[in-house]
């Protein structure tokens, strides 16, 4: 349904001052539309078996309720029905933008999107589709829907760009001689936005993968910390030691907090320790990490503490005081990190 | 493949997990899904148009995601489970070359209406493409 907003030519980047002026100019007109009801938009085709079969073929659905007349006849519906998730598709205008089936309203239920588009918010993505069903629709039924512009949010900036969340509520009906019957409803929310990072059209031979590869974030490495990461690469957990007073310290730092000496070397830890504290990350889920993501503050037997990921733990087994042992994992073929795994006490 | 046997209301309990379903995301699925749902928005079938709109490639339309979510739930529930609702929210886009893996669990159950609620998510390499719920009337 993203075709609701015809992709007009995007305007050039406005400076921020013009942005504010633009908002002041057009937003009252947008707000005035909220609450407006729009008339019927009819389906081009009655609910029919060929469109259902093709939809099921693409989705990988083989439910006989939609495909096998004999099975469907014995169901609670008494005959073939359309897959419920198809509800909205019946009434879309198809190839030609805003080309609604005969009998449809002359109003444009998406006029608010056109107005936003005219003010520089050319792109659109669908965000929410909340379908509810009064009943399934059968072959031969002629559907239409009416629309209410429910809400337009404040200007928001997301990873995609800056724009507005627009919420439409649609009610779907089946046309009947004895009186039309509501068959379902749809809350549909889109984000109408000005793209933050339009991607230039592909150059000849451009074969960049579509799916960005998310890698583990790499540590910032300085002269103070390099020894630690080089140790990890060799499978050694190294701890910084003040050569003046023998105090161990972690994380690495240029100066001893005990005697203020700048002189240091390192010692190899046994990698044995206990969980001093922990946290389990649930939300937001950020790639490439797996969730829930347990992270420990490990007290090494040498006496210093370090933060590290935990592996091989179940949430209900995590406990302060649990004995753990370091192991080294390689990520993205280039990054070696110390992680800790529970061991018998 | 949809199980020919439909889950009975009495055998479905909150906390039960649905089996995972991994769906390869291809140009074919994205474009065929858009056309099967009568959605001719260029970003779903024209890579250059998608790039103009800020995407690296064509991206799956929400009506296809709804269809796949329906498939995921009814493959588990069986053919006679009736959807009372299907509510989804999109996050990371589905681009060609990725895989979306659905997971879900029974998150609610209502004796009076003989309905169960399923909470689902479809995760790809960039995070959750879709999160949502479905309410099913079970025999």
């Amino acid at each position: 349904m993203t075709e609701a907003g015809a992709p007009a030519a995007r305007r050039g980047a406005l400076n921020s001052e013009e942005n504010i002026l633009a908002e002041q100019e057009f937003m009252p007109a947008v707000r005035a539309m909220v609450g407006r009801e729009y008339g019927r938009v009819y389906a081009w085709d009655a609910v029919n078996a060929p469109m259902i079969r093709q939809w099921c073929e693409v989705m990988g659905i083989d439910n006989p309720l939609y495909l096998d007349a004999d099975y469907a006849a014995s169901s609670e519906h008494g005959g073939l029905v359309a897959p419920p998730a198809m509800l909205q598709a019946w009434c879309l205008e198809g190839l030609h933008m805003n080309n609604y089936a005969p009998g449809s309203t002359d109003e444009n239920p998406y006029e608010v999107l056109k107005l936003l588009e005219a003010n520089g918010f050319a792109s659109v993505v669908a965000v929410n589709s909340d379908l509810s069903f009064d009943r399934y629709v059968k072959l031969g039924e002629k559907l239409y829907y009416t629309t209410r512009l429910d809400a337009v949010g404040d200007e928001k900036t997301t990873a995609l760009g800056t724009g507005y969340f627009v919420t439409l509520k649609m009610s779907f009906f089946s046309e009947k001689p004895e009186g039309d019957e509501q068959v379902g409803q749809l809350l549909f929310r889109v984000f109408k936005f000005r793209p933050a990072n339009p991607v230039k059209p592909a150059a000849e031979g451009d074969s960049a993968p579509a799916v960005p590869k998310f890698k583990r974030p790499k540590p910032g490495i300085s002269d103070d910390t390099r020894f630690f990461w080089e140790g990890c690469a060799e499978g050694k957990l190294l701890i910084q030691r003040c050569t003046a007073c023998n105090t161990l310290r972690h994380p690495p730092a240029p100066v001893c907090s005990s005697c203020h000496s700048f002189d240091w070397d390192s010692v190899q830890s046994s990698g044995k320790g206990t969980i001093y504290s922990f946290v389990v990350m649930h939300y937001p889920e950020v790639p490439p990490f797996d969730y829930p993501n347990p992270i420990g503050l490990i007290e090494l037997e040498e006496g210093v503490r370090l933060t590290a990921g935990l592996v091989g733990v179940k949430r209900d087994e995590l406990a302060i005081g649990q004995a753990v042992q370091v192991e080294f994992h390689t990520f993205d073929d280039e990054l070696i990190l110390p992680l800790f795994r529970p061991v018998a006490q | 493949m949809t199980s020919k046997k439909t889950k009975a209301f009495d055998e479905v309990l909150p906390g039960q997990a649905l089996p995972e379903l991994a769906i390869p995301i291809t140009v074919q699925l994205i474009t065929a899904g858009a056309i099967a749902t009568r959605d001719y928005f260029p970003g779903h079938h024209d890579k250059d148009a998608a790039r103009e709109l800020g995407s690296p490639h064509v991206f799956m339309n929400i009506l296809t995601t709804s269809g796949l979510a329906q498939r995921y739930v009814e493959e588990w529930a069986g053919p006679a489970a009736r959807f009372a609702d299907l509510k989804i929210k999109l996050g990371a886009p589905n681009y060609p070359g990725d895989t979306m893996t659905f997971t879900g669990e029974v998150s609610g159950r209502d004796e009076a209406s003989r309905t169960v609620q399923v909470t689902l998510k479809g995760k790809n390499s960039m995070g959750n493409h879709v999160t949502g719920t479905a309410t099913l009337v079970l025999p």
Side-chain angles (χ1 to χ4, degrees), chain B:
Chain B
M1 172 120 182
T2 307
S3 161
K4 292 293 188 290
K5 182 181 175 305
T6 301
K7 291 236 179 325
F9 177 73
D10 291 332
E11 65 176 308
V12 176
L13 299 171
Q16 287 175 349
L18 279 62
E20 281 191 10
L21 174 65
I23 296 179
I25 307 303
T26 60
V27 173
Q28 187 182 55
L29 176 61
I30 292 167
T31 54
I35 303 314
T37 56
R38 295 186 50 70
D39 184 346
Y40 291 83
F41 179 71
H44 305 314
H45 63 257
D46 179 341
K47 182 176 178 179
D48 287 342
R51 286 178 163 237
E52 281 291 316
L53 296 167
S55 296
H57 208 306
V58 294
F59 52 96
M60 184 174 284
N61 70 331
I62 195 167
L63 283 83
T64 298
T65 304
S66 276
L68 296 175
Q70 179 195 311
R71 167 183 161 187
Y72 177 59
V73 173
E74 74 183 359
E75 278 189 6
W76 164 80
R82 178 162 51 84
F83 285 79
D85 61 44
L86 177 61
K87 302 180 178 185
I88 64 165
K89 180 178 183 194
L90 295 192
N94 266 343
Y95 293 128
D98 213 334
T99 298
M100 174 171 67
T101 302
F102 276 113
T103 54
E105 68 168 23
V106 179
S107 52
R109 189 171 185 276
D110 181 57
E111 288 277 353
S113 57
R114 290 184 77 78
T115 57
V116 297
Q117 188 182 61
V118 170
T119 298
L120 62 91
K121 63 181 177 186
K123 188 176 179 180
N124 63 27
S125 68
M126 295 183 290
N128 286 328
H129 167 68
V130 57
T131 54
T133 60
T135 304
L136 300 173
V137 183
L138 293 180

